[in-house]
Amino acid sequence: MTTNDDVASENSPQMTANLEKIEALSERLIKAVSGKSSTNPALSGPDRELFSNALNSYWHEMMQNPAKMFEHQAAYWGKSVKHYVEAQQVLSKGKLEAPSDAFTTDKRFSNPLWNTHPYFNFVKQQYLINAEAIAQAVDDVEDLDSTEKQRLKYFSQQIIDMMAPTNFLGTNPDALEKAVQTEGQSLLDGLENLVADLEANNGELIVKLADEKAFQLGENIATTPGKVIYRNKMMELIQYSPTTETVHETPLIMFPPWINKFYILDLKKQNSMIKWITEQGYTLFVVSWINPDESYADVGLEGYIEEGYLAAIREVKEITGVKQVNCIGYCIAGTTLSLTLSLLKKRGDKSIKSATFFTALTDFSNQGEFTPFLQNDFIDGIEAEVNEKGMLRSFIMARTFSFLRSNDLVYTPAIKSYMMGEAPPAFDLLYWNGDGANLPGKMAVQYLRGLCQSNEFADGGFTLMGETLNLKDVDVPLCSIACETDHIAAWKTCYRGVQQMGSTSKTFIVTQSGHIAGIVNPPSKNKYGHYTNDDLKLDADAWLEQAEFTQGSWWPRWESWLKKRSGKQVPARLPGDSTHPELCDAPGTYVMINSKV
């Protein structure tokens, strides 16, 4: 009988070191997981009623039409048995080769071994047979309403994606090959990555998507020169330095979403929209929102409007000496810009000369891919969460967005980091994506209940700040940019909202690509084109069918539209004035506040 010391003495120095490292990592892993902060369980999945209703519907269908159910079951059994027999026949002939693969290409199975090795080919094909059977079973459920059916499809697909053989070491040839090639070092590195991610997020497993050490705000991203010239509890107001001798008289205020940080529009010099706008001769102000903590629990949408939008408009008018400003609102900030425009209409205030909306939803009658998360069980869970924590923590929103594209944003990064032992890439966009922000409790519930669930702004009126706000009150000249493959703010839904706005001067542009890449699309890249059509009375499908396609960025087209609404040329304005001293350099201090799990 040998002792552990005897075994260790027979191992190589590298093996001994690795064993010691595993022991240390295991201790850290246990400590990190034991420190996990609590999260309302309702936010981790649908209530049991959804699956109970689906099961009841399935059994009801089986009783009513047993032949159909048996047909589907027999087809599944037949495919599985046939698959097994074919594999056995090949092996019985002494051939270590896979049977012919009848399935289409899936990038998860790009390793040649999935097609050439009998074991991996068998695992892959059986997984795809199982996935097809689950999807068919969901399609066969007929007694659920459309919303429940959509949710059932979504959560069933999550199960299918989670059970992919690529997600497990023993059935992932890429991970196994690398483990052999590196003598197990890749697995140790992967365990180190796993433990580090858990420790960084208080026990919550959030896959790190980018190398955080590769970026420093103000040094290699968010570097456009400017100054913070105003600050309150909700935001810092940045005025960017001019790059032209003259500028348009009417200043431009950009309101980014407060779910993430503003520097998505100022990543690198090559793709910085902020830099590009200053180069076109505009006095540009950008709001950088606070990353709220629990002390902001009682801040609602009215707080963002009063101390964000209205405060920024007031200060910019004072600094520049003008009566009107142009505004941009991106995503949720575009939704809130619409609310602000309705409020100003009620008050007879004409401070906003024109409005630009980036991927902004204003009519929520079709909840799109967010339908699974906008039902009462999830929203009830969010209310319970914010009542306890005072805020909706950023990782909860990030997790929700990620699972809308789980293979790309959850499983593939996890495989590379935890099974392959790879370091996350130095990718600025992914760095920004991981730099989320919390939402104040009151604001989150107002938005989810009043706007997303009840659609009050477009249907009947949204009560806020003593007024009933309506979408039809948005009557300033406007330009709305939506993205063709946007899964967060579907372009057809953005279009429907614009159709209901009261303005007589509307421009609508659909750019190729998604929620971020479609907006951050500089002319120099000549990558994505865009669609335009002046007839906004058409339904969305007809609008796109009859639209004119232009290759290249939409930025110059929008700037041409903005130029007509920006007045004469005046001498370029330096940041601040005697009553607005420079508080600090851009990108400011609020953007540096990180979220904590």
Side-chain angles (χ1 to χ4, degrees):
M1 184 174 182
T2 60
T3 65
N4 289 338
D5 290 339
D6 293 332
V7 172
S9 64
E10 296 174 3
N11 292 329
S12 67
Q14 181 63 47
M15 178 65 75
T16 302
N18 286 344
L19 290 173
E20 292 176 354
K21 186 175 181 180
I22 288 176
E23 183 176 353
L25 285 171
S26 298
E27 292 178 0
R28 286 171 56 195
L29 177 64
I30 294 171
K31 183 177 180 180
V33 173
S34 65
K36 180 180 178 180
S37 58
S38 62
T39 304
N40 191 290
L43 300 178
S44 299
D47 60 22
R48 297 178 182 177
E49 186 177 358
L50 174 65
F51 294 113
S52 176
N53 290 342
L55 182 61
N56 290 336
S57 176
Y58 189 84
W59 280 110
H60 176 75
E61 178 68 16
M62 185 172 181
M63 297 299 294
Q64 295 295 318
N65 190 1
K68 179 181 177 182
M69 292 296 117
F70 284 127
E71 179 184 349
H72 289 162
Q73 286 296 317
Y76 169 68
W77 294 338
K79 289 179 182 178
S80 296
V81 173
K82 181 175 180 289
H83 179 212
Y84 172 76
V85 170
E86 288 177 347
Q88 287 292 98
Q89 288 175 341
V90 172
L91 290 174
S92 67
K93 296 177 181 178
K95 295 182 180 180
L96 288 177
E97 61 183 33
S100 61
D101 192 339
F103 291 101
T104 56
T105 302
D106 184 323
K107 64 181 181 180
R108 291 175 296 177
F109 304 112
S110 59
N111 189 308
L113 288 176
W114 288 113
N115 293 326
T116 61
H117 193 285
Y119 167 70
F120 291 114
N121 183 268
F122 181 86
V123 168
K124 179 191 76 169
Q125 293 206 43
Q126 190 58 48
Y127 165 72
L128 293 173
I129 290 172
N130 293 345
E132 182 182 50
I134 294 173
Q136 184 64 58
V138 171
D139 285 340
D140 289 342
V141 175
E142 296 181 352
D143 288 344
L144 294 179
D145 64 33
S146 59
T147 297
E148 284 192 310
K149 186 70 173 283
Q150 184 177 350
R151 300 184 82 208
L152 182 63
K153 284 186 175 182
Y154 170 80
F155 290 113
S156 299
Q157 187 60 48
Q158 292 304 310
I159 294 172
I160 291 172
D161 292 343
M162 180 178 65
M163 297 308 296
T166 46
N167 295 337
F168 303 91
L169 176 62
T171 51
N172 187 318
D174 293 300
L176 291 171
E177 284 181 326
K178 189 166 185 180
V180 172
Q181 292 168 359
T182 63
E183 296 184 345
Q185 187 62 46
S186 60
L187 298 179
L188 286 173
D189 293 341
L191 182 58
E192 175 68 53
N193 291 340
L194 172 63
V195 172
D197 284 352
L198 288 167
E199 290 175 335
N201 297 287
N202 294 331
E204 191 69 42
L205 183 55
I206 302 173
V207 185
K208 186 183 296 182
L209 298 178
D211 180 3
E212 297 177 355
K213 297 179 181 178
F215 300 102
Q216 186 67 42
L217 293 177
E219 294 186 10
N220 57 358
I221 52 174
T223 59
T224 301
K227 304 290 183 180
V228 173
I229 47 82
Y230 177 80
R231 180 187 293 127
N232 63 25
K233 65 175 286 189
M234 294 304 301
M235 58 91 174
E236 289 182 329
L237 184 61
I238 302 170
Q239 182 179 357
Y240 284 90
S241 302
T243 60
T244 55
E245 292 185 1
T246 63
V247 293
H248 290 281
E249 182 178 34
T250 305
L252 180 62
I253 309 176
M254 181 181 287
F255 295 97
W258 50 86
I259 293 175
N260 293 97
K261 307 293 183 62
F262 81 90
Y263 63 88
I264 184 58
L265 297 165
D266 190 31
L267 290 173
K268 298 176 182 177
K269 293 180 180 180
Q270 305 94 299
N271 61 2
S272 169
M273 190 175 197
I274 287 174
K275 179 176 181 290
W276 185 85
I277 288 174
T278 63
E279 291 171 345
Q280 309 314 305
Y282 293 89
T283 303
L284 177 64
F285 295 82
V286 175
V287 165
S288 175
W289 301 102
I290 188 71
N291 189 355
D293 57 22
E294 60 275 7
S295 68
Y296 283 73
D298 295 327
V299 172
L301 285 167
E302 55 268 52
Y304 280 87
I305 292 175
E306 191 68 56
E307 297 191 66
Y309 291 77
L310 301 185
I313 292 169
R314 181 188 66 239
E315 300 303 321
V316 169
K317 286 167 58 178
E318 183 178 330
I319 291 171
T320 60
V322 300
K323 294 182 178 180
Q324 289 186 304
V325 300
N326 292 319
C327 293
I328 300 172
Y330 191 171
C331 191
I332 190 175
T335 306
T336 310
L337 175 58
S338 297
L339 296 173
T340 304
L341 285 163
S342 178
L343 177 68
L344 294 180
K345 169 80 170 179
K346 301 287 187 183
R347 293 179 175 180
D349 188 329
K350 298 183 178 181
S351 294
I352 297 180
K353 189 175 184 179
S354 77
T356 298
F357 302 102
F358 295 167
T359 66
L361 296 173
T362 50
D363 180 335
F364 294 85
S365 56
N366 184 343
Q367 298 167 348
E369 293 193 38
F370 280 95
T371 298
F373 302 101
L374 291 176
Q375 308 313 305
N376 281 330
D377 53 351
F378 271 90
I379 307 303
D380 289 347
I382 287 175
E383 282 206 72
E385 170 79 10
V386 301
N387 286 338
E388 178 184 354
K389 306 293 184 181
M391 60 185 177
L392 183 58
R393 291 174 288 176
S394 66
F395 84 90
I396 295 175
M397 292 179 291
R399 183 175 63 187
T400 300
F401 286 128
S402 294
F403 274 97
L404 290 174
R405 295 291 183 271
S406 57
N407 285 326
D408 293 331
L409 296 177
V410 179
Y411 299 121
T412 295
I415 290 167
K416 290 181 178 179
S417 183
Y418 306 148
M419 278 200 268
M420 307 287 286
E422 297 178 6
F427 187 11
D428 56 353
L429 179 59
L430 290 179
Y431 174 81
W432 167 85
N433 188 70
D435 189 15
N438 307 314
L439 296 183
K442 180 180 178 181
M443 175 264 138
V445 174
Q446 283 177 315
Y447 180 76
L448 293 171
R449 292 289 194 200
L451 295 176
C452 296
Q453 276 196 318
S454 301
N455 195 30
E456 293 174 2
F457 188 39
D459 185 12
F462 182 62
T463 302
L464 196 70
M465 302 173 73
E467 301 284 357
T468 300
L469 308 180
N470 290 279
L471 186 52
K472 64 183 180 182
D473 294 330
V474 180
D475 61 358
V476 301
L478 64 91
C479 181
S480 177
I481 295 90
C483 302
E484 188 176 18
T485 58
D486 193 336
H487 65 284
I488 295 174
W491 79 263
K492 292 181 180 180
T493 307
C494 295
Y495 178 73
R496 187 171 58 249
V498 169
Q499 284 183 307
Q500 297 174 66
M501 293 178 180
S503 174
T504 58
S505 175
K506 304 177 187 177
T507 297
F508 190 75
I509 301 171
V510 172
T511 177
Q512 291 180 315
S513 198
H515 194 71
I516 300 301
I519 298 300
V520 184
N521 180 24
S524 59
K525 295 290 184 69
N526 196 31
K527 191 170 185 180
Y528 301 118
H530 59 279
Y531 302 88
T532 54
N533 187 340
D534 293 335
D535 189 354
L536 302 189
K537 294 181 181 179
L538 298 170
D539 64 44
D541 291 329
W543 183 94
L544 186 62
E545 183 179 347
Q546 299 177 30
E548 177 185 353
F549 178 76
T550 302
Q551 183 59 46
S553 173
W554 57 269
W555 291 10
R557 183 183 295 274
W558 166 73
E559 193 275 325
S560 178
W561 175 90
L562 182 66
K563 183 189 306 181
K564 298 173 184 177
R565 293 158 179 83
S566 298
K568 63 184 181 181
Q569 293 288 306
V570 298
R573 305 171 175 115
L574 296 176
D577 62 13
S578 59
T579 60
H580 296 82
E582 299 173 0
L583 302 180
C584 65
D585 291 331
T589 60
Y590 281 5
V591 74
M592 306 290 184
I593 302 174
N594 294 322
S595 297
K596 300 296 182 183
V597 175

